[in-house]
Amino acid sequence: MAGITKLWKRKKGSNSGAGNGTVVNGHDEDSRTIHCNRPDHGLFSYAGNKTSTRKYSWWSFVPLALFVQYQRAAYWYFTAMAGLSLAPFAPYSAISVWLPLIFVLVLGLLREAWEDLRRARGDRELNNRPIEWHDGNGQFVEKRWRDLRVGDLVRVKDGDFFPSDLLLVSSTGPDGICYVETMNLDGETNLKARQALEVTWGIDGKDERKLKDFTAELLCEGPNASLYTFSGRLKYNNAELPVGPPQLLLRDSSLQNTGSVLGVVVYTGHDTKSMQNSTPPPTKRSRVDKYLDKVIWLMFALLLAMATLTGVIIGIRTKQDGTDIWYMRPTESNPYYNPQKAAIVGIVGFFNGLVLYGYLIPIALYVSLEVVRVAQALFMINDIEMYDPASDKRARVKSPGLNEELGQVDTIFSDKTGTLTSNQMDFFRCTIQGVSYGKGTTEVERAAEKLGMPLGPSPRDPRPDSTRPTSRTQSVDNAIEVDTESLGPENNPYKEKGFNFYDERLLAGKWVQEKSAESIRFFFEILALCHTAIPEGTPEEPSLMRYRAESPDEAALVVAAKQFGFYFYKRTPTTLHVRESLRPGDPPRDQVYQLLDVLEFSSLRKRMSITVRFPDGRLLLLSKGADSVILQRVDRKRSGPVAETTRHLKLYGEVGLRTLVVAYKVLDEEEYKSWAKRYADARSIIGKERESRTEELAEEIEQGLTVVGGTGVEDKLQAGVPEAVDRLARAGINIWVLTGDKVETAINIGYACSLLRQGMDNLIVSLEGSEARAIEERADREGWSRDKIQEGQKNFVSRKLDDALQLVLNGHVNPRGTSTSERKISVSESLQSALSRSMSTKSSGANLSRNASKNAAGTLTRNLSVTNGRHSRNPSEGKIGVEMLPLVDGQKVGSNGEGLDQREWAISKESALTQSRKGPPAEPTEYALVIDGQSLAYILAETVLQERFLEVCINCNSVLCCRVSPRQKAQVTTLVRKGLGLHRLCLAIGDGANDVGMIQAANVGVGILGVEGAQAAMAGDFAIGQFRFLERLLLVHGRWCYRRISLMILYFFYKVCMMGWIAFYSNIFAYFSGNPLYNDWYASFYNTVFTSVPIVVIGILDQDVTPAEAFRYPQLYQSGQRGELFNFKLILWWLAISLYHSAVIFFFPLAIYSGLSAFRPGGQVAAAQDFGAAMFTVLVLVPNLQIYLAFHYFTWIHHLFIWLSILSWYLFIIVYGALPTSWSTIAYKEFIEVLAPSASYWLLQPLVVMAALLPDLVFRSIKSVYRPSDYQIVIEQSKSKRDSQHQV
Amino acid sequence: MNGASSSEGGPNNLLKESKRPKYTKFTQQELPACKPLLTPGWVMATFMVVGIVFIPIGVVTLLASNSVVEIVHRYDMDCLPPTLATKTDRVNWVQNSLVDHRCNVTLTVPKRMKRPVYVYYELTNFYQNHRRYVKSRNDQQLRGDSVTSLDSCKPLATGNGQPIVPCGLIAWSLFNDTFTFASGAGAIPVDNTGIAWKSDVDSKFGENVKPSNFPNNNSTGALGPIGGKALNANLPLKQDEDLIVWMRTAALPNFRKLWGKITDRDLEAGQVVNVQIANIYNTYSFKGSKKLVLSTTSWLGGKNSFLGIAYLTVGLICMFLALVFFLIHLKNPRPLGDTSYLSWNKKNSDRSRS
């Protein structure tokens, strides 16, 4: 909690500046006085309730948006160039430079404007929402949110959002209680209770007079960002009462399960806590983009060098030649040729060169990138494979600028609830009176099976081997089986949200035929009664009934009871109404149970109970809770089926179910009476004592229980998660799960979604383990100061990290530690044998005895047997097990063997770092780090530890951070991203508001489009409907985008550089005077028409392998992580190609069009313009045809645009040449009259193309034949497959 | 699927149109495509084909170039009194209009030159492509359109307050050596019409534009040192093809310009052609040279073996490469689609080998 608070305390930043003047008193306001029900309406000039998330206002738009545009270094350059083009010495006309620049800028501005308008539309919707406002005369009238003022009294109805931060005055719920959902604030889906001060309960909407007369003065703190604190004093009826968080209803949360509430507006608009928390989204730029900036600087340096050279040479030559060159009339001053002022000639020459060679820095690249990224985004959005039919949502792309980032991800930070799991609990199994019911396989089982690691014996009662392999749970009762053959766990007619249970022995009223029907009935009754869920819906429609419960698993139990015929449909403070239908044909009977007391659930108690009087008069205590807690409190004589239940629940846990024990106790009337009185007294105590007192009394009555059975609820993984995680891992992506869950739960889910795999070593750094607890105990004993405890814990964490580091780096632990490095692989088939027969691996087993490992359990355990029964996998599956078997007696391995093993370890470490994470079974050990939030806090506080931590993590395949706060999530993400020299490209994925920090901190943020709450999706750069789409987003779209953008940028530099080089070559022969060989329009059209479209098509469409192949070979993804498609080497390579090509393009035509020999039978020799046009022809041909060499994917669109581009040059020169001479100048009839009729012109073209492409062709041939790239082999493979199919 | 959405989203969802993207091959990026791979077969075939096509072209073009007969004679030094040793002397001599600049040159025809025989002059180290020079003209004026500004022509824009026609450095520096051809007793007429591009004549130079106020080379004073040819004030620019050719500026500092054509006869092998040259154009100050060139043409143009040699070279290289690839492939073939070549598999096997 403290962490969250801190997170939200972040500086408000520039947010306030962006608002349109609604922030008045600002954040310096220390306290405010609010006259309840007597709104100030401007008197105190508090902020209005109008909010704005816009970045610009109409007047600041142009300058601010331009400022945003100009954050790109290249734009400054382009503007400078455009400025230079206005100078009289510019070699090109100004318009040909200004047009593209204006185009890019306008495009950027339009996009900004569009986004801002969209935000404005969202704001308008919010600001115009209606709210019932008390008009001061006892009437409620409708008002808009934006019109609310501090002090207003408003009424909020069930399901509605609070328009501002409100002080709760009264609620239609009992005791002034209302429930709020804070999903949008902290990501928690459970309902939280808020309670009004008792003195104001009576003010409700019904009594006009009370409403009218209500007046109070609230003195409270000024606006701040802390979501969990609030303090103030309410002066009401001459009394002064303290108010705090329980009375505060926050904007962005909603009212649930409560008819309506009245509240007084405390903070409005940008003063509200949620708005104070909002941070402006960071502007992110992709790695490629940043690299591009560097390349631009490089090119700029090159350009400067070339321009300087030009200036110097022309200056010196002009000085030297002096008056010799009479035809320039050197005596007349002219900045281009003036021997008297050679320096000026040089400077002019320099600037002239800047513009002339300015092609080196392509503005068209930026235009094209924008276009391509938008198109890529459209492909993502329109991908059917990323459409989620359940929520009817497509993928969304908010930052197309980060597309290619998706192809280079090293590390994924994932939220758990709602991201990996669907946050939906389904009733899956139960055990009643020692008999286990429920069929079907859990996701965990399925995942394990898929990965070839069956989970030992099935958790169900021992049964004969099944005949149907799909369902390993077959009923003994064959008669029933026959009847329901078409039905089963996979085809379950009773399935609904919260209920995925199938067992024909219990369903459809069949349970009455069971042996212990009475117990079963009782079990169902307990499920239907013992909870705090609130039914929502009409009682007559059970299928539409929704239960609002504190947690989804509780709701699942109530749903289960309903399915079994005990339909809970109504709750009053004192009664519970259940409609019982015992047999299918019987009419349902309504039963009313008297609810006496509720002993609520708390994470400390881990149980909840109610006392209830059954319709038949029995007085009972019904309990459900964690097995450890309940079993401690059973009656020794009437314990119920404890042994079987325990066994079943253990097995349930093993397959990933959340388990609860259900128990009861018959209460003695007298005893209860005395207890009830004391309990009521305790509850009425005001102050701290109340809690401990009620606790004691609950403890007193929750004794002597009798177990009835237990339940297993599945926390459903989202569809396809294990597969996606597995493939992403194989793609070389490290996956971190950051969750608020307990270590054990996290490890469970880790296995379920194949983050943790068999053969992986789990390194656990936790301050909840036994050794860590020992520190606390010692501290208690010796009365350590707080600092000392922290010191001790820090040392502990640091030591653990050291050991982990030793392990992952060297494959052994330093022998000093008490910590073990045992790699225990249990070969046992049950829990007991697993514990007793843990065995050491060859890696380190010889170092330490087995006993040592046991002593140090709970510390750094490379241990597969941590979690509930996870160890009982049979390792004889797969090679790991085989490898292990001879080593059961680890001690027997001699020292020789040990040395050998260590060498192998060293090798395996290297490979674990550099290549695929999962391969043949002979792969070396993989590591997983599990760390808890408390340990993380110590690590994050110190640089040394951070470094160590990072190094461990980078050597681990999976990292699980448990019990972390949202702030820690963001911190860890930032740490890894900035990574102290270990830069990694991080992607964060989450669904809740608590993930926003992480999503913003990561290089790429992906939001899950949850059913409720869109904060994460809003904050994310991308949003998808399901976690599994991430796989396609990365492995397919990301890889493609990275490839496309990389290819595009490289090719772009190649082709624009050719223009630059050629300008330079021609300058060499033209006294460095900077006279372009061709008309401005040739040059302008070069980048916009003749060579622009094919590369854009490639940027949009290029593929190497198909999605299917990408999934089959996830390793292909690693080329992106290694940056193989865009790096300095490749840039140099392409620059070299462009140098060579431009040389061929320039000098080959020059040999024919030098002006020395006739180039056609008519005897004419070529002039500058003839040479220029001929050269330009091949300058268009070569890069367009180079595409066929450099790329490997051609659809008809590619062909069309390549040839259209080539054709466009000829068309251009024909059409442009046909214009009057005042337009066409040197191009006039150039093609028709001069070039086309000469054979040499046509012979030149294939020659130049071939000569230019030849070296590249040779190089690529050699590479393709003898050093094939990965994707090439994959294509070859599928090609040969297709061919062989054809032959067959 | 539908069931899930309707039960979860409530009845509202049924009314809304599904956002499911439409399936098209294009939007799902499943367009049929060819993925050419440079497999050994393709590589060899490509090189082979290029070689087979290029070598004959090379031979043919080389033959064409070799069929051209060309006579090149540098005369700037021959036509200079040998006493003039320094640059200043030479410049003074060449610019002195009072001195006789005529000189005689004999050329012997090496092979039969079929008409038309083209006569060129060649200048070296003359930067017709200097930016200052190239810009110094006014196309509007040349065309005879109304002229708004002659700024680009400065300092040869106006003289005595009147615009100079044609203005600018290019026109002013027009080459003005003359050649008179004779063989034996008879003069060989040289036709200097039809040497410019028709488009230039038709559209870039006006019918009614006649030189006026033009600083002829004998003028002195404000306009400074002597320039090029004096223009006939009565000859419309359109008809002055020498000027038109000159004003189509060259790409390089060494260039030839067509001066005329001998169209009435072939020149026989061994025939001696006497040329009287008026050597008055100043190339001495900037270390340029002047040459007289007589050349025939083939279907391809003048004497230029570049195309032929280049075609042959590329063709031969390709043939050679085809052979090399063939041999390597025979010796050490790589099976296509062999997954052991995948980088991640390769590293594994490398390790296991070591």
Side-chain angles (χ1 to χ4, degrees), chain A residues 967-1089:
Chain A
R967 179 180 155 85
Q968 280 180 327
K969 284 185 179 185
Q971 281 176 331
V972 170
T973 312
T974 314
L975 176 66
V976 178
R977 181 167 62 86
K978 299 219 169 130
L980 304 164
L982 300 156
H983 290 274
R984 314 218 95 202
L985 209 151
C986 302
L987 178 144
I989 180 166
D991 73 317
N994 55 342
D995 303 317
V996 169
M998 172 171 89
I999 283 172
Q1000 291 185 342
N1003 299 75
V1004 191
V1006 178
I1008 300 276
L1009 288 161
V1011 186
E1012 50 217 312
Q1015 292 249 36
M1018 296 289 285
D1021 303 300
F1022 300 86
I1024 48 181
Q1026 299 262 330
F1027 180 85
R1028 72 186 140 99
F1029 297 155
L1030 186 65
E1031 190 185 0
R1032 194 174 171 86
L1033 191 67
L1034 297 187
L1035 297 189
V1036 177
H1037 289 286
R1039 227 177 41 103
W1040 277 347
C1041 287
Y1042 169 64
R1043 180 183 173 79
R1044 290 164 181 176
I1045 296 279
S1046 305
L1047 293 178
M1048 182 170 168
I1049 294 176
L1050 290 171
Y1051 178 85
F1052 233 94
F1053 273 106
Y1054 152 78
K1055 82 171 176 144
V1056 295
C1057 281
M1058 292 212 295
M1059 287 286 277
W1061 307 139
I1062 282 169
F1064 190 73
Y1065 297 145
S1066 73
N1067 228 352
I1068 295 175
F1069 294 99
Y1071 211 87
F1072 282 98
S1073 61
N1075 190 45
L1077 272 174
Y1078 25 75
N1079 181 299
D1080 299 349
W1081 292 105
Y1082 292 17
S1084 305
F1085 274 53
Y1086 178 75
N1087 270 334
T1088 51
V1089 180

Side-chain angles (χ1 to χ4, degrees), chain A residues 811-1095:
Chain A
H812 65 85
V813 133
N814 68 37
R816 128 186 95 76
T818 50
S819 51
T820 79
S821 60
E822 283 324 80
R823 182 175 175 211
K824 287 184 281 182
I825 302 270
S826 320
V827 281
S828 57
E829 296 177 9
S830 71
L831 177 69
Q832 275 73 20
S833 53
L835 284 172
S836 60
R837 287 182 59 203
S838 68
M839 60 178 184
S840 312
T841 67
K842 53 180 177 178
S843 64
S844 52
N847 284 350
L848 294 157
S849 76
R850 202 180 291 152
N851 286 342
S853 78
K854 275 185 184 165
N855 292 343
T859 61
L860 177 74
T861 38
R862 303 173 58 207
N863 186 341
L864 277 177
S865 51
V866 186
T867 55
N868 43 0
R870 185 66 41 206
H871 32 67
S872 56
R873 280 189 211 144
N874 190 350
S876 63
E877 301 275 336
K879 216 174 167 190
I880 296 176
V882 176
E883 222 175 50
M884 295 306 135
L885 281 173
L887 291 160
V888 169
D889 291 319
Q891 286 89 339
K892 281 185 187 167
V893 178
S895 56
N896 288 343
E898 189 190 329
L900 184 82
D901 297 336
Q902 302 225 341
R903 222 181 313 130
E904 279 189 19
W905 269 98
I907 296 163
S908 63
K909 179 219 121 206
E910 183 189 275
S911 68
L913 273 177
T914 51
Q915 34 162 326
S916 68
R917 314 297 151 139
K918 193 161 185 266
E923 275 285 290
T925 317
E926 299 173 312
Y927 295 97
L929 178 74
V930 182
I931 189 162
D932 72 343
Q934 220 184 331
S935 311
L936 261 182
Y938 288 113
I939 290 168
L940 291 171
E942 222 170 289
T943 324
V944 189
L945 290 181
Q946 286 180 0
E947 238 165 84
R948 218 175 289 163
F949 172 65
L950 274 180
E951 207 162 350
V952 174
C953 292
I954 279 162
N955 290 305
C956 287
N957 299 81
S958 308
V959 178
L960 267 65
C961 300
C962 317
R963 292 227 166 279
V964 288
S965 65
R967 179 180 155 85
Q968 280 180 327
K969 284 185 179 185
Q971 281 176 331
V972 170
T973 312
T974 314
L975 176 66
V976 178
R977 181 167 62 86
K978 299 219 169 130
L980 304 164
L982 300 156
H983 290 274
R984 314 218 95 202
L985 209 151
C986 302
L987 178 144
I989 180 166
D991 73 317
N994 55 342
D995 303 317
V996 169
M998 172 171 89
I999 283 172
Q1000 291 185 342
N1003 299 75
V1004 191
V1006 178
I1008 300 276
L1009 288 161
V1011 186
E1012 50 217 312
Q1015 292 249 36
M1018 296 289 285
D1021 303 300
F1022 300 86
I1024 48 181
Q1026 299 262 330
F1027 180 85
R1028 72 186 140 99
F1029 297 155
L1030 186 65
E1031 190 185 0
R1032 194 174 171 86
L1033 191 67
L1034 297 187
L1035 297 189
V1036 177
H1037 289 286
R1039 227 177 41 103
W1040 277 347
C1041 287
Y1042 169 64
R1043 180 183 173 79
R1044 290 164 181 176
I1045 296 279
S1046 305
L1047 293 178
M1048 182 170 168
I1049 294 176
L1050 290 171
Y1051 178 85
F1052 233 94
F1053 273 106
Y1054 152 78
K1055 82 171 176 144
V1056 295
C1057 281
M1058 292 212 295
M1059 287 286 277
W1061 307 139
I1062 282 169
F1064 190 73
Y1065 297 145
S1066 73
N1067 228 352
I1068 295 175
F1069 294 99
Y1071 211 87
F1072 282 98
S1073 61
N1075 190 45
L1077 272 174
Y1078 25 75
N1079 181 299
D1080 299 349
W1081 292 105
Y1082 292 17
S1084 305
F1085 274 53
Y1086 178 75
N1087 270 334
T1088 51
V1089 180
F1090 306 142
T1091 60
S1092 64
V1093 190
I1095 189 58

Side-chain angles (χ1 to χ4, degrees), chain A residues 89 317 324 326-327 329 334 382 392 394 907 1044 1151 1156 1158 1163 1170 1233 1243 1264 1270 1276 1279, chain B residues 19 28-29 35 38 87 120 127 131-132 199 223 248 256 282 285 297 302 304 311 334 337 343 351:
Chain A
F89 49 76
R317 285 188 76 170
D324 291 348
W326 60 266
Y327 54 89
R329 290 190 72 99
N334 182 304
N382 282 305
D392 190 31
R394 301 179 181 196
I907 296 163
R1044 290 164 181 176
L1156 283 177
D1170 309 320
E1233 188 188 14
L1243 280 175
S1264 145
D1270 292 336
E1276 280 174 5
K1279 251 191 185 169
Chain B
K19 285 196 179 133
Q28 301 311 309
Q29 311 195 57
K35 297 180 181 177
L38 286 167
K87 188 174 84 181
Y120 305 91
Y127 282 91
R131 189 178 149 83
R132 156 94 164 117
S199 61
L223 287 170
R248 195 169 174 110
R256 289 178 192 170
N282 174 16
S285 66
T297 57
N304 190 342
Y311 261 103
R334 173 178 73 88
S343 64
R351 196 171 53 245

Side-chain angles (χ1 to χ4, degrees), chain A residues 427-607:
Chain A
F427 188 84
F428 201 74
R429 294 230 166 90
C430 62
T431 162
I432 308 169
Q433 282 300 320
V435 182
S436 176
Y437 298 95
K439 291 179 173 185
T441 41
T442 62
E443 310 238 359
V444 175
E445 281 176 295
R446 245 173 280 151
E449 221 164 285
K450 210 166 271 173
L451 299 170
M453 306 181 294
L455 295 167
S458 92
R460 291 144 297 259
D461 291 345
R463 292 194 182 126
D465 274 345
S466 80
T467 41
R468 265 163 49 192
T470 43
S471 153
R472 295 186 293 154
T473 51
Q474 295 289 310
S475 167
V476 210
D477 193 343
N478 284 324
I480 295 171
E481 167 106 33
V482 173
D483 288 343
T484 57
E485 194 166 26
S486 59
L487 304 176
E490 320 302 329
N491 178 22
N492 183 356
Y494 305 100
K495 190 170 172 171
E496 72 162 297
K497 191 177 176 180
F499 191 74
N500 187 20
F501 176 90
Y502 187 83
D503 194 323
E504 55 283 324
R505 288 174 294 172
L506 294 189
L507 287 165
K510 293 241 174 65
W511 58 268
V512 292
Q513 298 166 4
E514 286 288 298
K515 259 200 320 255
S516 44
E518 264 317 297
S519 301
I520 294 173
R521 175 191 172 142
F522 188 44
F523 180 81
F524 293 157
E525 277 178 315
I526 298 177
L527 292 190
L529 298 173
C530 181
H531 55 77
T532 52
I534 299 152
E536 237 177 49
T538 40
E540 276 63 43
E541 286 183 85
S543 61
L544 291 181
M545 181 60 87
R546 292 272 166 276
Y547 296 103
R548 280 293 192 162
E550 259 187 39
S551 68
D553 23 0
E554 187 168 53
L557 297 183
V558 188
V559 171
K562 176 180 85 177
Q563 286 282 2
F564 292 128
F566 294 84
Y567 171 34
F568 166 72
Y569 66 91
K570 190 177 166 193
R571 171 189 289 275
T572 72
T574 55
T575 55
L576 298 166
H577 300 248
V578 175
R579 186 162 296 162
E580 295 180 3
S581 17
L582 298 186
R583 283 161 195 285
D586 292 355
R589 269 191 312 162
D590 285 356
Q591 298 275 21
V592 180
Y593 295 80
Q594 298 296 324
L595 177 63
L596 303 172
D597 306 283
V598 178
L599 312 179
E600 275 163 4
F601 181 87
S602 78
S603 53
L604 205 71
R605 284 163 39 82
K606 291 184 180 166
R607 62 187 185 271

Side-chain angles (χ1 to χ4, degrees), chain A residues 62 110 287 313 483 572 670 732 840 885 1080 1119 1123 1129 1219 1274:
Chain A
V62 173
L110 281 180
R287 194 187 266 190
I313 290 179
D483 288 343
T572 72
E670 291 305 313
S840 312
L885 281 173
D1080 299 349
S1119 66
K1129 229 171 89 188
L1219 296 176
V1274 172

Side-chain angles (χ1 to χ4, degrees), chain A residues 89-122:
Chain A
F89 49 76
Y92 303 120
S93 65
I95 189 162
S96 60
V97 185
W98 277 95
L99 262 185
L101 176 66
I102 290 170
F103 180 73
V104 186
L105 286 177
V106 166
L107 206 71
L109 289 188
L110 281 180
R111 201 188 46 206
E112 287 288 321
W114 185 69
E115 277 179 9
D116 211 42
L117 283 178
R118 219 172 41 164
R119 278 191 289 267
R121 217 176 306 148

Side-chain angles (χ1 to χ4, degrees), chain A residues 326 329-331, chain B residues 95 172 217 219 221 223-227:
Chain A
W326 60 266
R329 290 190 72 99
T331 47
Chain B
Q95 289 190 336
W172 173 71
N217 66 350
S219 65
L223 287 170
I226 264 163

